[in-house]
């Protein structure tokens, strides 16, 4: 009872701290991550974007299977998706080799990152993560007064797992990792990451965000879900927004030991998903041909971009995903603004006292247009 009262008090305090007129979710989703980006968002150029290279979407999706499922489910959209969520969990459980009690389904994985941030954030203490990384969980935990301990990447813009492990202390409540990492796209050997998760989870739970796992070749796709099957305190999130090309339908899922999933579920509102998204996700799950085609086209378009960056002697992270982070070696704000004037939307991160650009990989034609635009944006 005391715990629930404390939690409610903190939730009210947290929502009172936000400006009126915006939900907590909107605040965090929209939060610019750098001073450069804050300036850009406020500028008149933000509305000019025609080629969207800012959100790591799949420019080729949704797949044929998803399109068919979407058109077939339309006549059932007058119904709540209660039964569909239950069915979807069964499908996921079978696919991932866990039970439905291990699974939470959310409106995108953001939804579940927020719920986890809240579940661990109310415990105060600290959440530890590499920096930079996808900030959603830590932002949410910080709202509930948890501290956010950050560990910089190594010189190759990769997560330094031994440094991360050395920063765990008595107050650390959760460690967040992302492999491949966003915004850098860099990958650390998945077997090393698995050893990290195995070791650390004996002391503190580890959250492994696997939003971009399917961009790796199948032989490299080593999910941390294997550890959950062995009852380790590891939490994994996956999404249909990236390789599956269903970002607009908002479906993601989380896998954890049933007691941990239950703890997070207490911070997750009702049934936020929808019939259309669930049908499309069910049809898309494990579509090897569509994923292989996306990977192939993505690699070609990414190569066009990295060849260009190399020609220009610009430093970039070796990407295993559908985005690349590079140092523009000049005023990042100007680069973003000039690109926006030409209709291209990208993102900016402040890291080690300078702005870094992150560009999502579009189609090859889009990347050709982008490199031409970038050429005149410096
Ligand atoms: N995790 C990572 C690493 C991401 O990059 C993103 C989106 O860009 C998400 C989670 C959230 O995606 P969604 O809410 O669409 O599943």
């Amino acid at each position: 009872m005391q715990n629930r009262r404390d939690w409610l008090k903190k939730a009210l305090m947290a929502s009172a701290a936000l400006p009126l007129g915006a939900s907590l979710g909107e605040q965090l989703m929209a939060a610019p991550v750098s001073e450069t980006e804050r300036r850009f968002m406020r500028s008149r150029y933000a509305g000019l974007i025609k080629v969207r290279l800012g959100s790591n979407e799949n420019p080729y999706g949704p797949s044929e299977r998803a399109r068919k499922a979407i058109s077939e489910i339309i006549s059932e959209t007058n119904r709540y998706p209660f039964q569909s969520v239950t069915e979807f969990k069964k499908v996921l459980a079978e696919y991932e080799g866990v039970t439905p009690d291990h699974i939470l389904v959310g409106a995108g994985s953001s939804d579940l990152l927020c719920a986890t941030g809240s579940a661990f954030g109310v415990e105060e203490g600290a959440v530890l993560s590499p920096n930079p990384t996808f900030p959603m969980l830590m932002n949410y935990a910080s709202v509930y007064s948890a501290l956010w301990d950050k560990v910089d990447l190594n010189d190759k813009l990769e997560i330094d797992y031994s440094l991360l492990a050395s920063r765990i202390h008595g107050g650390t409540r959760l460690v967040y990792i992302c492999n491949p990492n966003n915004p850098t796209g860099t990958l650390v050997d998945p077997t090393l990451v698995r050893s990290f998760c195995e070791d650390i989870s004996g002391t503190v739970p580890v959250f492994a965000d696997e939003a971009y796992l399917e961009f790796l070749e199948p032989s490299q796709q080593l999910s941390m879900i294997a550890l959950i099957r062995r009852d380790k305190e590891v939490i994994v999130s996956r999404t249909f927004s990236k390789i599956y090309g269903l970002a607009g339908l908002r479906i993601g899922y989380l896998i954890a030991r049933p007691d941990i999933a239950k703890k997070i579920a207490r911070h997750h509102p009702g049934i936020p998903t929808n019939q259309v998204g669930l049908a499309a996700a069910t049809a898309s799950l494990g579509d090897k041909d569509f994923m292989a085609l996306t990977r192939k086209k993505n690699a070609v378009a990414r190569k066009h971009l990295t060849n260009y960056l190399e020609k220009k002697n610009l430093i970039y992270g070796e990407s295993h995903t559908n985005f690349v982070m590079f140092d523009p070696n000049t005023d990042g704000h100007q680069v973003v603004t000039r690109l926006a004037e030409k209709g291209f939307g990208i993102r900016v991160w402040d890291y080690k006292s300078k702005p870094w650009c992150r560009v999502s990989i579009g189609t090859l034609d889009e990347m050709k247009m982008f490199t031409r635009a970038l050429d005149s944006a410096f």
Side-chain angles (χ1 to χ4, degrees), residues 55-56 107-111 113 134 176 178 182 209 211-212 237-242 247 250-252 358:
S55 301
N56 308 340
S109 56
S110 302
D111 189 21
L113 286 162
F134 191 69
Y176 170 92
C178 186
N182 180 9
D209 185 331
Y212 300 97
S237 65
R238 303 284 274 277
T239 180
F240 286 86
S241 302
K242 303 303 173 187
R250 313 303 302 125
I251 304 287
R358 188 201 70 187

Side-chain angles (χ1 to χ4, degrees), residues 201-260:
S201 62
T203 314
V204 56
V206 181
F207 190 106
D209 185 331
E210 298 185 350
Y212 300 97
L213 187 79
E214 298 93 344
F215 278 94
L216 307 179
E217 287 307 319
S219 62
Q220 275 189 302
Q221 288 179 21
L222 190 73
S223 171
M224 298 306 129
I225 293 171
L227 296 175
I228 300 170
R229 287 189 214 109
R230 289 169 41 211
D231 281 343
K232 300 285 175 194
E233 292 205 32
V234 173
I235 306 158
V236 168
S237 65
R238 303 284 274 277
T239 180
F240 286 86
S241 302
K242 303 303 173 187
I243 203 151
Y244 288 119
L246 299 175
L249 291 181
R250 313 303 302 125
I251 304 287
Y253 60 100
L254 175 152
I255 299 198
R257 229 170 50 191
D259 59 316
I260 301 175

Side-chain angles (χ1 to χ4, degrees), residues 34-51:
S34 69
E35 184 48 38
T36 310
E37 199 152 67
R38 199 168 285 123
R39 278 161 62 201
F40 172 73
M41 295 283 193
R42 285 200 207 109
S43 77
R44 66 196 171 89
Y45 302 108
L48 300 177
I49 306 307
K50 292 195 181 52
V51 183

Side-chain angles (χ1 to χ4, degrees), residues 72-89:
E72 284 171 4
I73 200 73
I74 296 295
S75 58
E76 285 178 48
T77 49
N78 56 323
R79 302 294 178 195
Y80 287 110
F82 305 126
Q83 190 54 30
S84 312
V85 173
T86 308
E87 289 302 319
F88 186 54
K89 279 190 183 180

